[in-house]
Amino acid sequence: MSSESFETQRAALADVVAIPVTPFAEDGSVDQDVHRALLRRLLDGGIRTLTPNGNTGEFYALTPQERRLVTEITIDEVGDRGVILVGVGHDVPTAVASARHARELGAAMVMVHQPVHPYVSQGGWVDYHRAIAEAVPELGVVPYIRNAQLSGHRLAELADFCPNVIGVKYAVPDAAKFAAFARDAGLDRFVWVAGLAEPYAPSYFSAGATGFTSGLVNVTPAVSLNMIEALRSGDYPAAMKVWEQIRRFEELRAANGSANNVTVVKEALASLGLCRREVRPPSKPLPESERAEVAAIAAGWSI
Amino acid sequence: MSSESFETQRAALADVVAIPVTPFAEDGSVDQDVHRALLRRLLDGGIRTLTPNGNTGEFYALTPQERRLVTEITIDEVGDRGVILVGVGHDVPTAVASARHARELGAAMVMVHQPVHPYVSQGGWVDYHRAIAEAVPELGVVPYIRNAQLSGHRLAELADFCPNVIGVKYAVPDAAKFAAFARDAGLDRFVWVAGLAEPYAPSYFSAGATGFTSGLVNVTPAVSLNMIEALRSGDYPAAMKVWEQIRRFEELRAANGSANNVTVVKEALASLGLCRREVRPPSKPLPESERAEVAAIAAGWSI
């Protein structure tokens, strides 16, 4: 029953899962027109799965009102050109309200940010996600897992309660841990999305992932699509050619504890004239001396 | 100027900084009467500095409305019997609104939770705290630092902009890192609060801390006060006697990535008949088989 009714959602997760940036206007507010233009660029570039309110969208720097706005803009702009999973999080009542809002607007899925609460017990992790998933049984639910200690058995337990938990965004930088987690949870029961984007996608695919998230896709949808095409056909050398092509860019994003993860993406977009470079605290725009390198990489991709 | 006008606040930080629990009623809401009774118990026990909306208060599991309520209850109940630093966090506009709310009600300080945003640059860390501190220049501001990568020089930079940044709750489990951070920032310029409570208090005091936070204080104010008295008089052997007395309790709280940090405190309070044991997801109450040990420890202290 559940696996049938969530077929569209499962297919959408086995793909490049784009995490759009949230562009800001000069007055600091969300720039709605630019946001829509960037979303159209993703869709025109062949992207079909999008996550408003993901980390690349600076989820934790948005006010509750802005999170609603970003959900609304994205669902409206994408229409039937793609499948949307809306990022939700914070305390349970806030996450449930966001999930219901997403449902009202017609989203197909929600992605549940890992709890920011510092004291997470394994059983409490199940309770947290269960409370959200049970509130929106018609939506696919995708937990975002960054906790290397969580056991895959807990995910299976959650899905026993909530058959709408259909996929996982797993984001621990260790493909062996991912392989074990997926097998403990049930490899075929869930769609496995490599949550650390292109740098880890080949190693995750080698262990059973069929989709990956991407922030880089904001800059160049074609490069992300090249990688997933290679991975789908089992052509790892071709996938690693793409890996080599994006290595420096992703290293700049990952440096210093990912300090400039979104910063570098927006810098590349700014160099292409597509949006302003501004990110919100506790992120910060790149210093001028480091901008040229990012621009050169982006220019190389857009040829 | 600034150091003079914040004298009361500075003195309050050089003390046991209690982080009260948030008790829940049977219907899951904040139990206001029990909350007030627990606050009175802390004050009657000799505690003078309190942080509503800290992690022991399950900050991240409270709704925005509940965070306001907890602030209001605490300020009202404490009155002039103590000094309050209100925990604030989340996106900047939300944190600023919470800080202003605290100011309106007469709080003396705010404690700024570490940004939950995954992409924190060192400069962005300064910008984040500056935006909050500048909004409430009359309040003392205490950043809560759990990021081992942050340099002490950044704190000095922040305080150059904002003289109301007067103290720090430093919570990296490494007393050498704390010692270096405090010296890079300016040892005498700030009040240093050991943010990992009694287990790390002696080692932090050996390096210059003059206050420590506590969740255990909810159960037994006298034990925390015994420790600070020993540390103030430089009697480390006596402080370590207290350390030995609380070791098992704190180990139970720290196990499994601090999964049961608040759970164990509330279990102890429940065993003493002082509040219900319920915590919110992603925490979870202790299984029955583990409750007797906590009760025995708590009973031993209350003799």
Side-chain angles (χ1 to χ4, degrees):
Chain A
M1 178 205 82
S2 62
S3 63
E4 269 178 14
S5 59
F6 291 109
E7 222 164 272
T8 308
Q9 288 91 331
R10 293 177 69 98
L13 293 173
D15 206 334
V16 175
V17 178
I19 322 289
V21 297
T22 304
F24 299 122
E26 203 166 341
D27 67 0
S29 66
V30 174
D31 190 328
Q32 302 190 37
D33 291 340
V34 171
H35 198 0
R36 286 177 180 273
L38 289 174
L39 292 168
R40 281 195 297 276
R41 187 166 171 271
L42 282 167
L43 295 165
D44 294 344
I47 296 303
R48 293 288 165 264
T49 310
L50 301 97
T51 304
N53 286 323
N55 279 336
T56 306
E58 296 175 74
F59 176 72
Y60 290 107
L62 301 177
T63 66
Q65 296 74 21
E66 289 171 333
R67 300 196 303 260
R68 289 175 65 92
L69 176 66
V70 165
T71 300
E72 287 158 8
I73 290 173
T74 308
I75 292 176
D76 183 64
E77 190 59 45
V78 172
D80 57 7
R81 298 182 71 187
V83 176
I84 288 173
L85 59 161
V86 175
V88 305
H90 299 289
D91 61 279
V92 170
T94 295
V96 165
S98 301
R100 289 182 171 146
H101 176 241
R103 177 178 62 185
E104 277 160 30
L105 296 174
M109 292 183 275
V110 292
M111 185 274 284
V112 183
H113 281 273
Q114 73 158 3
V116 291
H117 198 293
Y119 312 130
V120 181
S121 79
Q122 302 246 337
W125 183 91
V126 175
D127 295 343
Y128 178 87
H129 289 81
R130 183 178 174 182
I132 299 165
E134 286 186 342
V136 287
E138 315 82 356
L139 299 194
V141 172
V142 180
Y144 180 6
I145 300 177
R146 301 177 69 187
N147 174 357
Q149 306 315 313
L150 190 77
S151 153
H153 300 292
R154 293 304 184 156
L155 178 66
E157 190 184 327
L158 171 64
D160 288 344
F161 294 124
C162 307
N164 56 329
V165 175
I166 57 168
V168 175
K169 174 175 172 178
Y170 197 77
V172 174
D174 179 336
K177 217 172 245 297
F178 161 62
F181 184 95
R183 278 146 189 84
D184 290 345
L187 187 61
D188 299 328
R189 191 173 175 186
F190 304 95
V191 182
W192 297 98
V193 182
L196 292 165
E198 289 84 355
Y200 284 85
S203 61
Y204 267 61
F205 269 63
S206 76
T210 56
F212 62 81
T213 62
S214 179
L216 174 140
V217 72
N218 285 283
V219 184
T220 169
V223 169
S224 303
L225 291 172
N226 286 346
M227 182 177 271
I228 202 160
E229 196 180 333
L231 291 171
R232 279 176 176 159
S233 61
D235 187 348
Y236 285 87
M240 290 308 293
K241 280 281 178 209
V242 181
W243 191 96
E244 289 158 12
Q245 187 186 1
I246 63 174
R247 173 180 174 179
R248 177 63 184 159
F249 187 80
E250 292 294 321
E251 283 176 351
L252 287 169
R253 295 179 65 198
N256 303 315
S258 295
N260 295 326
N261 183 296
V262 181
T263 299
V264 168
V265 172
K266 280 192 165 173
E267 184 60 42
L269 290 169
S271 76
L272 297 170
L274 295 170
C275 81
R276 299 176 78 248
R277 64 171 50 84
E278 270 64 26
V279 289
R280 288 193 179 163
S283 295
K284 200 175 175 82
L286 276 192
E288 262 191 80
S289 58
E290 298 173 28
R291 294 178 186 173
E293 182 180 10
V294 174
I297 297 173
W301 289 337
S302 58
I303 288 166
Chain B
M1 179 205 81
S2 62
S3 62
E4 269 177 15
S5 58
F6 290 109
E7 221 164 274
T8 308
Q9 288 92 330
R10 293 177 69 100
L13 293 173
D15 206 333
V16 175
V17 178
I19 322 287
V21 297
T22 305
F24 299 120
E26 204 165 343
D27 68 358
S29 66
V30 175
D31 190 328
Q32 302 190 38
D33 291 341
V34 171
H35 198 0
R36 286 177 180 274
L38 289 175
L39 292 168
R40 281 195 298 275
R41 186 167 173 271
L42 282 168
L43 296 165
D44 294 346
I47 297 302
R48 293 286 166 263
T49 310
L50 301 98
T51 304
N53 286 322
N55 279 335
T56 307
E58 297 177 71
F59 176 71
Y60 289 108
L62 301 178
T63 67
Q65 295 74 22
E66 289 171 333
R67 298 196 305 259
R68 290 174 65 91
L69 175 66
V70 165
T71 300
E72 287 158 10
I73 290 173
T74 309
I75 292 176
D76 183 64
E77 189 61 44
V78 172
D80 56 7
R81 297 182 71 187
V83 176
I84 289 173
L85 58 162
V86 175
V88 304
H90 299 289
D91 60 279
V92 169
T94 295
V96 165
S98 301
R100 288 181 173 147
H101 176 240
R103 177 178 62 186
E104 277 159 32
L105 296 174
M109 292 182 274
V110 292
M111 185 272 285
V112 183
H113 280 273
Q114 73 157 4
V116 291
H117 198 293
Y119 312 130
V120 181
S121 78
Q122 303 245 336
W125 183 90
V126 175
D127 295 343
Y128 178 88
H129 289 81
R130 183 178 174 182
I132 299 165
E134 285 186 343
V136 288
E138 315 81 357
L139 299 193
V141 171
V142 180
Y144 180 7
I145 300 176
R146 301 177 69 187
N147 173 359
Q149 306 314 313
L150 189 76
S151 152
H153 299 292
R154 293 304 185 158
L155 178 66
E157 190 184 325
L158 171 63
D160 287 345
F161 293 123
C162 307
N164 55 329
V165 175
I166 55 169
V168 175
K169 174 174 173 179
Y170 198 77
V172 173
D174 179 336
K177 217 172 247 295
F178 161 62
F181 184 96
R183 280 147 188 83
D184 290 344
L187 187 61
D188 299 329
R189 191 173 174 186
F190 304 96
V191 181
W192 297 99
V193 182
L196 292 164
E198 288 86 354
Y200 284 87
S203 60
Y204 266 61
F205 270 64
S206 75
T210 56
F212 63 81
T213 61
S214 179
L216 174 141
V217 73
N218 285 282
V219 184
T220 169
V223 170
S224 303
L225 291 171
N226 286 346
M227 182 177 272
I228 202 159
E229 196 180 334
L231 290 171
R232 279 176 177 159
S233 61
D235 187 349
Y236 285 87
M240 290 308 293
K241 280 279 178 214
V242 181
W243 191 97
E244 288 157 12
Q245 187 185 1
I246 64 175
R247 173 179 175 178
R248 177 62 184 160
F249 187 79
E250 292 294 320
E251 283 176 349
L252 288 169
R253 296 179 65 198
N256 303 315
S258 295
N260 294 326
N261 183 295
V262 180
T263 299
V264 169
V265 172
K266 280 192 166 172
E267 184 60 41
L269 290 169
S271 76
L272 298 171
L274 295 170
C275 80
R276 298 176 78 249
R277 65 170 50 84
E278 270 64 28
V279 289
R280 288 194 179 161
S283 295
K284 200 175 176 85
L286 275 192
E288 262 190 78
S289 59
E290 298 174 28
R291 293 179 186 172
E293 182 179 10
V294 174
I297 296 173
W301 289 337
S302 57
I303 287 165

